[in-house]
Amino acid sequence: DKLEDTVASSVRTTRLRITSPRKVPELELALSGPERVLSVAVDGREIPGSQGQLTLHFDVFPRSGSVELVIRSTPDDALGVRVQETSYSLAEAPSFRPRPANMIRRPNPMDWFEGNDLHGDFIYVSRTFHFSPPGRSAS
């Protein structure tokens, strides 16, 4: 949800709430569009920005299922926010059908020798949002 989007002194401040209704364990945010992202605050903790794209990866997304971002950027172009959720069970998919008996899961070769059950039943859900600078029409 876009909570705020303003420009003052040549700095665009966009406040967003990123929510995962499925409360996934892992989430990635990729910010793109403005010439420069000056900083990003995630639930109040500030992270320095960068030229071009900035990616935030949550190995453990909050159990609340949401975070608040405050993005400070140059106001020159639309802000793109790609959200990619990762979950580890196909059974969470809305149209899940059990795997046929003649098929196995893809093993995770990095952890099989430790006895961990980390197989390839991943679900990736991705969506990109575009926020035009204040005063311009949305895209």
Side-chain angles (χ1 to χ4, degrees):
D1 296 329
K2 182 169 75 169
L3 305 174
E4 175 187 359
D5 202 358
T6 59
V7 176
S9 302
S10 298
V11 174
R12 179 180 181 183
T13 302
T14 308
R15 193 163 61 100
L16 306 172
R17 175 159 314 281
I18 306 298
T19 304
S20 171
R22 296 184 307 128
K23 296 186 178 181
V24 296
E26 189 175 336
L27 190 131
E28 182 175 281
L29 297 170
L31 309 177
S32 62
E35 181 180 320
R36 181 155 176 73
V37 174
L38 305 169
S39 68
V40 177
V42 179
D43 284 341
R45 294 186 71 173
E46 193 162 315
I47 300 166
S50 70
Q51 283 297 118
Q53 184 167 316
L54 176 69
T55 302
L56 304 171
H57 189 90
F58 296 86
D59 286 327
V60 179
F61 196 65
R63 289 189 185 269
S64 66
S66 71
V67 294
E68 185 173 303
L69 299 180
V70 177
I71 304 160
R72 294 179 59 248
S73 65
T74 54
D76 46 15
D77 208 351
L79 172 65
V81 179
R82 182 182 54 82
V83 179
Q84 179 175 296
E85 296 181 332
T86 302
S87 53
Y88 305 114
S89 172
L90 291 178
E92 295 177 19
S95 60
F96 173 72
R97 286 188 307 232
R99 180 182 289 107
N102 66 332
M103 297 180 77
I104 64 169
R105 296 183 289 174
R106 180 179 149 250
N108 179 338
M110 300 304 289
D111 265 352
W112 71 268
F113 58 91
E114 294 288 336
N116 295 328
D117 188 24
L118 298 175
H119 289 79
D121 284 349
F122 297 100
I123 298 175
Y124 297 100
V125 178
S126 183
R127 184 165 180 196
T128 302
F129 302 88
H130 296 279
F131 302 101
S132 295
R136 293 192 202 168
S137 61
S139 59

